[in-house]
């Protein structure tokens, strides 16, 4: 029996070599189908024609990236570059950024070559049904791999936002709607705090101004973690709520708004602030914190004269810490303005992050009666209860998908032009 099995194995290997089929094809195929394979060479097998080719503009971009990677790799060995640490580090980083693109493209070309060889083999292999089935399965598998690789390098070719890895300062400001707007701002603050907890991010209050009936007139928090800006940058805009307020005696539905601004954390090198442009006064903070905050002027009121930005910071227990917090927030606000101007100059069709807080300038509507959140950019609805509990990941990922689609269209246009 053992000799018979050995003889069959030898015959299969012989035919595999004759048809130039990889042994993994037989192993993979038989492990799934568990059928004996009989080969009759000399005839032709009809195999369905499956074509999986990347779009020409992608190939153009990939070939350009590959050439750049090779040129930079050669430069890394240049003695002049090696002797210059800053230049070497810059080149090494550029090569590292292209490594995955180049390796994915190589896998794509190898897979494409295997697919063409398998198709050519199908024409010369024979009429055997088992052979035809096996080759068709291999073609389908390779075609599927090509599609996956194509989707992968589509994402890799998209331009990266250099701010995506930064931490942020998130500001929620009550818009139209009176007391109800303040309450709604408080609900949004809790929503982002819970989302931060779900994402294992650290959330710290920076500055706040409480509203009379509860909630906040303004609230600023610092969020630190892995690629915070890359996700929360889509939250900038006006959030509208439709519900019966707690202060409404007759049960009528009111509409209120709150604005959300996402500011990437800025270093001192990103924004230079002239001390002459700052008007700073101090006051007693009051509230919790012991005698120190009640008797000593720890609160800081900072005004940036060129822009009119005013920041009142009371969260810390010392004046110096509140001053540093206020300057941190001012830098973030100025940097966000700078970034927004750059983005508008690149893509004039995109609106700025936050408008005036008017009802018409909305990115989402939160409808309590229907327990529904509508994202007007996506034209999609989400369950309200879980959304306010911080379950906003699906909406954020949908925004990522829409943006990537737009970037791919721009990429295709840039190559064709």
């Amino acid at each position: 029996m053992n000799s018979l099995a050995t003889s069959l194995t030898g015959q299969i290997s012989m035919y595999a070599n004759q048809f130039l089929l990889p042994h993994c094809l037989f192993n993979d195929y038989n492990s799934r189908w568990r059928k004996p394979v009989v080969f009759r060479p000399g005839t032709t097998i009809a195999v369905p024609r499956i074509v999986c080719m990347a779009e020409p503009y992608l190939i153009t971009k990939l070939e350009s990236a590959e050439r750049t990677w090779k040129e930079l790799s050669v430069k890394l060995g240049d003695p002049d570059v090696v002797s210059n640490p800053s230049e070497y580090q810059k080149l090494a980083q550029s090569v590292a950024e292209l490594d995955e693109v180049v390796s994915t493209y190589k896998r794509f070309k190898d897979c494409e070559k295997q697919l063409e060889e398998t198709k050519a083999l199908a024409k010369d292999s024979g009429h055997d049904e088992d052979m035809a089935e096996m080759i068709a399965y291999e073609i389908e598998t390779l075609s599927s791999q090509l599609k996956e690789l194509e989707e992968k390098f589509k994402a890799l070719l998209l331009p990266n936002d250099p701010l995506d890895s930064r931490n942020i300062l998130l500001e929620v400001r009550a818009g139209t709607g009176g007391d109800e707007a303040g309450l709604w701002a408080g609900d949004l603050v809790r929503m982002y705090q819970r989302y931060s907890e779900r994402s294992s991010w650290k959330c710290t209050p920076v500055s706040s101004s409480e509203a009379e009936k509860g909630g906040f007139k303004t609230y600023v928090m610092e969020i630190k973690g892995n690629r915070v800006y890359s996700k929360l940058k889509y939250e900038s805009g006006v959030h509208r709520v439709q519900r019966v307020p707690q202060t409404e005696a007759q049960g009528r539905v009111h509409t209120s708004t709150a604005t959300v601004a996402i500011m990437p954390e800025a270093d001192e090198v990103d924004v230079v602030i002239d001390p002459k442009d700052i008007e700073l006064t101090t006051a007693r903070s009051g509230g919790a914190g012991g005698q120190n905050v009640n008797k000593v002027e720890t609160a800081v009121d900072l005004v940036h004269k060129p822009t009119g930005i005013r920041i009142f910071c009371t969260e810390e227990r010392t004046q110096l810490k509140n001053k540093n917090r206020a300057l941190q927030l001012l830098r973030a606000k100025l940097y966000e303005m700078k970034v927004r101007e750059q983005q508008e100059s690149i893509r004039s069709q995109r609106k700025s992050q936050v408008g005036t807080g008017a009802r018409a300038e909305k990115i989402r509507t939160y409808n309590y009666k229907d327990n529904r959140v509508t994202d007007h950019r996506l034209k999609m609805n989400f369950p309200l209860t879980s959304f306010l509990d911080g379950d906003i990941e699906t909406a954020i990922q949908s925004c990522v998908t829409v943006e990537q689609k737009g970037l791919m269209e721009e990429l295709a246009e840039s190559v064709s032009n």
Side-chain angles (χ1 to χ4, degrees):
M1 180 64 72
N2 291 335
S3 61
L4 178 61
T6 304
S7 175
L8 287 173
T9 302
Q11 291 179 32
I12 290 175
S13 299
M14 177 185 69
Y15 285 116
N17 292 329
Q18 181 177 347
F19 295 130
L20 302 177
L21 278 172
H23 286 275
C24 61
L25 186 155
F26 292 94
N27 296 335
D28 186 57
Y29 178 81
N30 288 323
S31 65
R32 285 174 168 81
W33 296 87
R34 302 296 181 190
K35 293 174 65 178
V37 180
V38 181
F39 302 96
R40 299 188 184 91
T43 51
T44 305
I45 297 176
V47 179
R49 183 172 181 270
I50 304 174
V51 179
C52 180
M53 293 290 289
E55 296 178 51
Y57 78 89
L58 287 175
I59 299 299
T60 302
K61 279 288 184 182
L62 288 165
E63 289 175 346
S64 175
E66 189 176 45
R67 285 194 301 271
T68 302
W69 179 82
K70 289 178 180 178
E71 292 170 1
L72 294 177
S73 298
V74 171
K75 286 184 179 180
L76 281 177
D78 189 329
D80 293 335
V81 174
V82 174
S83 61
N84 187 337
S86 60
E87 181 68 17
Y88 183 85
Q89 184 178 4
K90 188 184 298 182
L91 277 175
Q93 184 177 354
S94 298
V95 170
E97 290 173 353
L98 289 172
D99 275 342
E100 191 174 3
V101 176
V102 174
S103 62
T104 302
Y105 184 38
K106 184 179 183 301
R107 286 163 54 199
F108 178 85
K109 288 190 292 185
D110 291 342
C111 190
E112 193 174 45
K113 182 180 178 182
Q114 290 179 30
L115 178 61
E116 293 303 318
E117 289 176 350
T118 307
K119 288 179 181 178
L121 177 65
K123 298 177 181 178
D124 305 325
S125 55
H127 283 298
D128 190 282
E129 293 182 1
D130 288 325
M131 185 65 170
E133 189 176 3
M134 184 172 58
I135 292 177
Y137 168 76
E138 179 70 1
I139 290 177
E140 184 178 355
T141 301
L142 290 169
S143 298
S144 178
Q145 290 176 7
L146 279 174
K147 289 182 184 294
E148 291 175 4
L149 289 169
E150 183 177 347
E151 291 303 315
K152 183 175 181 179
F153 59 59
K154 274 183 180 179
L156 290 172
L157 285 173
L158 294 178
N160 293 324
D161 188 336
L163 303 178
D164 278 351
S165 60
R166 296 206 180 193
N167 299 321
I168 67 163
L169 292 175
L170 185 151
E171 180 187 60
V172 180
R173 183 180 295 272
T176 55
D179 295 333
E180 171 63 8
L183 293 170
W184 173 231
D187 291 337
L188 288 177
V189 168
R190 284 186 289 274
M191 182 181 80
Y192 291 120
Q193 288 172 338
R194 287 168 184 164
Y195 178 65
S196 298
E197 292 173 5
R198 288 170 177 259
S199 304
S200 300
W201 295 338
K202 183 180 178 182
C203 189
T204 308
V206 174
S207 175
S208 63
S209 175
E210 296 183 358
E212 294 181 5
K213 301 289 185 178
F216 300 98
K217 294 179 182 177
T218 59
Y219 188 98
V220 180
M221 67 180 88
E222 180 185 42
I223 303 178
K224 290 185 174 182
N226 183 34
R227 296 178 63 80
V228 178
Y229 183 78
S230 69
K231 292 190 174 184
L232 287 180
K233 63 183 178 181
Y234 302 104
E235 294 302 299
S236 295
V238 179
H239 298 244
R240 182 177 74 167
V241 64
Q242 294 176 327
R243 64 183 179 186
V244 178
Q246 299 174 6
T247 55
E248 173 58 50
Q250 299 181 10
R252 292 176 297 184
V253 175
H254 285 223
T255 298
S256 305
T257 65
T259 61
V260 175
I262 305 297
M263 298 165 284
E265 201 169 51
D267 299 325
E268 292 185 19
V269 294
D270 294 322
V271 178
V272 178
I273 301 174
D274 190 340
K276 296 178 182 179
D277 293 336
I278 295 176
E279 182 179 318
L280 190 146
T281 56
T282 59
R284 296 178 184 178
S285 294
Q291 294 184 0
N292 182 66
V293 299
N294 290 303
K295 293 184 177 181
V296 181
E297 293 186 344
T298 58
V300 169
D301 190 0
L302 183 149
V303 178
H304 186 243
K305 290 183 281 188
T307 59
I309 295 174
R310 182 179 181 182
I311 299 170
F312 189 69
C313 197
T314 63
E315 299 301 320
E316 303 292 346
R317 297 189 61 184
T318 66
Q319 184 183 115
L320 179 60
K321 287 184 177 180
N322 277 322
K323 178 182 176 182
N324 290 337
R325 277 291 192 185
L327 287 172
Q328 178 192 23
L329 180 54
L330 176 60
R331 275 195 300 270
K333 282 179 174 286
L334 293 175
Y335 188 57
E336 188 264 345
M337 291 170 63
K338 178 181 176 182
V339 169
R340 192 168 62 195
E341 288 175 2
Q342 291 174 345
Q343 290 174 340
E344 287 175 349
S345 65
I346 296 172
R347 296 180 186 173
S348 59
Q349 72 274 17
R350 289 191 175 183
K351 295 181 179 179
S352 60
Q353 285 191 337
V354 181
T356 59
R359 288 185 177 91
E361 302 170 3
K362 58 187 181 295
I363 64 168
R364 288 202 196 109
T365 295
Y366 301 72
N367 189 304
Y368 273 66
K369 181 181 177 182
D370 298 330
N371 191 37
R372 181 185 69 228
V373 178
T374 301
D375 194 303
H376 303 287
R377 302 163 299 179
L378 303 171
K379 295 181 174 58
M380 294 175 63
N381 295 326
F382 305 91
L384 175 69
T385 305
S386 58
F387 206 90
L388 290 177
D389 194 42
D391 186 13
I392 64 176
E393 183 66 24
T394 303
I396 289 174
Q397 290 303 322
S398 298
C399 289
V400 172
T401 302
V402 170
E403 183 179 44
Q404 287 183 344
K405 183 180 178 182
L407 289 172
M408 286 304 303
E409 292 173 354
E410 291 180 9
L411 182 63
E413 290 177 5
S414 67
V415 174
S416 60
N417 297 334

